[in-house]
Amino acid sequence: MDRNQDEIAAMALQEKLHHSKLQETYLEQREVIRRQTQALRDEIGRLQELHKDLNDKLTFLLARTNAAAALKATAAVSSPGDAGRISRGFERMEQKILRFEAGTKAYGAIGSEASRLSNWSDQHEVQSELEKLKATRRSS
């Protein structure tokens, strides 16, 4: 402008404005990407927690299956005189399972994902199997 070259000065100002707008756009995009990254990190954390919960459920169900198989084998081998003791053992085990299932259902009520997991234990089937075992022990 000191040399009366207004056209060159205008072009320089136009470039400056253009780059300022580009910078502003890039800063906005960076902020959007930062928020998206944080949302993805949060989702990964939630999914890791859900994976842990599912593994805990699997371990619990496997333990219940093994315990039921062991009880069935024990019931088949034990003498008829042990029916009362075995019956009391079944009742104690049933109470423990019911307490654990109640705790699981209470935990499941916290979140919708966890509440879908609480349907895993079908109390009716467990009760039915227990009644069959009791009836078998009584008839022996």
Side-chain angles (χ1 to χ4, degrees), residues 118-132:
S118 68
N119 295 329
W120 278 26
S121 47
D122 187 1
Q123 189 177 11
H124 180 68
E125 277 187 25
V126 172
Q127 188 67 28
S128 173
E129 286 295 319
L130 188 58
E131 291 301 322
K132 287 179 188 176

Side-chain angles (χ1 to χ4, degrees), residues 25-37:
T25 300
Y26 293 152
L27 290 174
E28 288 173 3
Q29 288 175 351
R30 186 181 74 177
E31 182 61 26
V32 168
I33 290 170
R34 189 196 61 75
R35 285 193 307 262
Q36 289 173 342
T37 302

